[in-house]
Amino acid sequence: MPSITSPSGHFPTLCSCTKLVDGQALYDVKFYPYPTTDDEPIFAVTGSSHLFICRPKLDADPPFEVLRWFQLESGEHSFNSLAWARDPVSGEPLICVAGEKPKQIQIFNVESGKHVRSLVGHGAAINDLAISPISSSLLASASADYTIRLWNLDPAYKDQPCVAIFAGEGHRQHVLTAQFHPNGKWIVTAGLDTAIAVWAVPSIDALAQHRAHRDGSHPAPLTVYYPHFHSTEVHANYIDTAVFYGDLILSRSAKGQSEDLARTTTKVKIVPNEILLWKIDGFDSDDDPPTGPPIPTPSVWTRSSFPHDPRSRGFQRLMTFDLPNTSRFYLRFGLLHEPGVRPILAMGNEESRFLFWDLQKLEEGYDPNEESGANLKAPGVKAPRQRKKGKAAEARQQVNEGNLGRLGELRRGEIVGGGAGSDVGYGRTPDPSLTTPTTSASNVPPERKFDLGDSFMPLKPHHSVLASTTLSPKKHFAMAQIAWSPDGGRWMVGVGDYGMMCVFYRSVEREAGRE
């Protein structure tokens, strides 16, 4: 096991790369988001017919132990997504899993190892699961039936657990991702139709009207027909990941290799695979949803009910992240974004390499006390070349950099504050050094280590790691999902092709108290 020394003090070190199962891909990994009795993180991994519950161990080889292995019938189960929940009565940890088969959400009690229940309703494969940050009983699911469903695991909803369906004027093809805003009031979704949408989550009172009545009748789930934001202009390819970064959005798009090759032979320009950081004009997550969602109009590719200039598209592209060798879709990035912790974006490509971006460094910009290019000397990653710009380009860059220097403000201080009322995650004392001061164009340094003037220029990773394995150099693997532990990101786990699991660790100073 290598010595644990984080490069540049922020990025994790690869501890092990292990084939957890043989011959089957792993698709999802998530850490238990709630406090544990011994304060140690637990994570779950799923893929095909396998479901593992694991604990990372720093002084072990390999640096993890399997606590429970749910061995299911391979012909009847094909899982690709999971989410943690808690039993509303006992508080015991529950693991929710779903996928192509069966077209149901299966829920297991982790402590007893028993199957608890199945949630039936989707008419096709389920592609993503997410638990609400304000209630460990509210579960969202994204499906190939073009809908997103909201489920309540509370016993009061036992006879009718589906409380809301987001459908109608939303997605026209498979929905690949659904994630809550940290305050639980919004859901961002995206899919194969290249559309990305933001929906208002109905209030608890509105959802309560759709539980079983005393007379035994079961009202239909609440149907949400219109998202408050919908666009097919943000990305040109399939969107397999979308998460809130405060009030900004990080989303990734890609298209399969075979389709890229077919498009090449017909001499059609291939749209690059990318992760974008962007914002919806006028969106404030703390505001009540606008009274009227936007109605679809012919030849309008973006519709938004949030205040914006009617001459604009209603959103702004802020950054593009460089993603070499990531042509496949359904490869998901991992975002570390907790109070008091430097935000880090991590992505695995198809050549066994992990790419990292220090998002706080992008907000801080150029540090004259740092050695030039020190963070960019990872294998295979070249530092961007400084170019001499004309006066018009310099003025444009100065304005853009002034805007990007206010990312902390745009994210509404989420680095040092969590969602109100959240019962998820570990409480941490905010680190004053991580606050981002508001910067104006007049005080932006004349040079930056990272060229942020052009939102379409891909930003090279600040650090990368090649996962060395016994696989042939010509037989690399891709990471389907990356997860960070909720204790400040001490651990990072990635899972993917050939049953591979990579475990990373980094030293993090932990505060004495917890909320």
Side-chain angles (χ1 to χ4, degrees):
M1 183 172 176
S3 60
I4 306 301
T5 303
S6 298
S8 301
H10 306 303
F11 303 113
T13 296
L14 179 62
C15 299
S16 76
C17 198
T18 307
K19 184 176 285 189
L20 193 58
V21 294
D22 192 20
Q24 296 186 14
L26 299 173
Y27 292 107
D28 203 0
V29 55
K30 287 188 176 72
F31 278 87
Y32 185 64
Y34 315 105
T36 59
T37 54
D38 56 5
D39 231 15
E40 291 299 324
I42 302 292
F43 64 91
V45 176
T46 194
S48 302
S49 59
H50 299 280
L51 174 59
F52 297 91
I53 309 298
C54 304
R55 180 197 302 273
K57 298 184 67 175
L58 184 58
D59 299 320
D61 188 14
F64 66 91
E65 61 177 331
V66 177
L67 302 178
R68 189 174 292 280
W69 182 7
F70 294 89
Q71 295 177 293
L72 307 170
E73 295 185 22
S74 59
E76 298 181 0
H77 299 86
S78 180
F79 296 138
N80 58 35
S81 302
L82 64 87
W84 287 96
R86 289 191 295 191
D87 186 283
V89 178
S90 68
E92 294 175 341
L94 304 176
I95 192 70
C96 310
V97 288
E100 184 180 0
K101 294 186 300 184
K103 301 177 181 64
Q104 307 167 4
I105 301 171
Q106 306 294 328
I107 303 179
F108 298 87
N109 185 302
V110 173
E111 292 188 6
S112 68
K114 295 181 179 179
H115 179 267
V116 176
R117 64 190 298 192
S118 300
L119 301 179
V120 181
H122 280 299
I126 299 169
N127 296 317
D128 201 12
L129 297 174
I131 201 72
S132 170
I134 61 172
S135 173
S136 56
S137 295
L138 282 179
L139 176 70
S141 56
S143 173
D145 65 8
Y146 308 175
T147 71
I148 304 95
R149 287 180 176 246
L150 189 63
W151 312 81
N152 196 318
L153 307 183
D154 190 278
Y157 297 84
K158 181 179 180 180
D159 295 330
Q160 176 59 284
C162 182
V163 291
I165 301 176
F166 301 83
E169 296 298 334
H171 292 282
R172 300 301 186 186
Q173 293 188 43
H174 298 196
V175 187
L176 297 178
T177 182
Q179 294 295 318
F180 286 92
H181 188 279
N183 68 10
K185 295 171 60 176
W186 307 89
I187 290 180
V188 58
T189 63
L192 289 183
D193 53 1
T194 75
I196 191 163
V198 173
W199 311 73
V201 179
S203 68
I204 297 298
D205 291 340
L207 295 176
Q209 299 177 13
H210 293 265
R211 63 186 176 188
H213 295 158
R214 292 181 178 179
D215 60 5
S217 61
H218 304 293
L222 173 65
T223 301
V224 181
Y225 291 101
Y226 299 98
H228 283 278
F229 177 88
H230 181 281
S231 179
T232 56
E233 293 182 282
V234 178
H235 291 282
N237 287 338
Y238 305 151
I239 308 172
D240 56 22
T241 322
V243 300
F244 285 102
Y245 180 45
D247 279 1
L248 307 182
I249 295 175
L250 278 163
S251 53
R252 175 189 179 266
S253 68
K255 215 157 196 176
Q257 290 175 325
S258 60
E259 295 181 59
D260 282 349
L261 181 61
R263 295 169 70 190
T264 303
T265 57
T266 57
K267 296 183 179 181
V268 176
K269 182 180 180 181
I270 298 176
V271 178
N273 312 300
E274 58 191 4
I275 294 176
L276 298 183
L277 177 65
W278 55 285
K279 68 183 291 283
I280 299 174
D281 292 340
F283 174 66
D284 187 329
S285 61
D286 290 336
D287 290 345
D288 292 331
T291 54
I295 305 301
T297 304
S299 301
V300 175
W301 311 116
T302 298
R303 57 184 194 267
S304 174
S305 63
F306 303 107
H308 64 281
D309 189 326
R311 296 169 296 179
S312 74
R313 295 181 296 176
F315 68 91
Q316 296 180 40
R317 180 176 181 144
L318 299 176
M319 292 185 189
T320 303
F321 297 87
D322 190 29
L323 294 181
N325 305 309
T326 57
S327 60
R328 284 166 45 184
F329 76 95
Y330 213 69
L331 300 180
R332 304 173 186 267
F333 58 78
L335 175 64
L336 172 62
H337 185 209
E338 291 185 27
V341 179
R342 293 184 75 90
I344 297 177
L345 176 66
M347 178 72 191
N349 69 13
E350 295 168 62
E351 295 191 351
S352 313
R353 186 175 292 279
F354 290 83
L355 311 174
F356 297 89
W357 292 265
D358 182 346
L359 300 184
Q360 182 68 23
K361 185 172 288 296
L362 294 176
E363 296 179 17
E364 294 166 351
Y366 178 75
D367 183 352
N369 297 319
E370 285 188 336
E371 181 180 353
S372 178
N375 286 11
L376 299 174
K377 294 182 179 179
V381 181
K382 297 181 179 179
R385 184 178 61 184
Q386 295 290 337
R387 299 189 305 273
K388 187 174 182 180
K389 299 180 175 65
K391 291 184 178 180
E394 287 180 350
R396 183 171 60 251
Q397 178 177 346
Q398 189 178 40
V399 172
N400 288 336
E401 288 182 342
N403 290 333
L404 290 170
R406 289 192 289 270
L407 283 180
E409 178 186 1
L410 291 172
R411 292 188 293 110
R412 302 183 57 77
E414 289 284 345
I415 280 184
V416 293
S422 173
D423 67 352
V424 174
Y426 293 78
R428 298 180 60 85
T429 304
D431 183 348
S433 67
L434 296 181
T435 58
T436 304
T438 302
T439 24
S440 65
S442 61
N443 61 14
V444 171
E447 288 186 340
R448 282 180 179 267
K449 190 176 297 180
F450 315 111
D451 187 356
L452 305 180
D454 186 352
S455 61
F456 288 85
M457 179 178 292
L459 294 170
K460 300 291 184 181
H462 304 150
H463 178 67
S464 75
V465 174
L466 179 64
S468 178
T469 71
T470 56
L471 292 176
S472 165
K474 295 182 179 180
K475 191 179 181 182
H476 289 290
F477 60 90
M479 288 287 99
Q481 180 70 69
I482 292 174
W484 295 85
S485 61
D487 55 358
R490 283 192 305 150
W491 296 93
M492 190 190 89
V493 178
V495 297
D497 298 346
Y498 312 113
M500 300 300 295
M501 182 173 77
C502 295
V503 179
F504 290 74
Y505 178 83
R506 67 179 193 145
S507 298
V508 176
E509 183 178 351
R510 302 178 66 181
E511 289 77 17
R514 291 193 183 278
E515 294 178 357

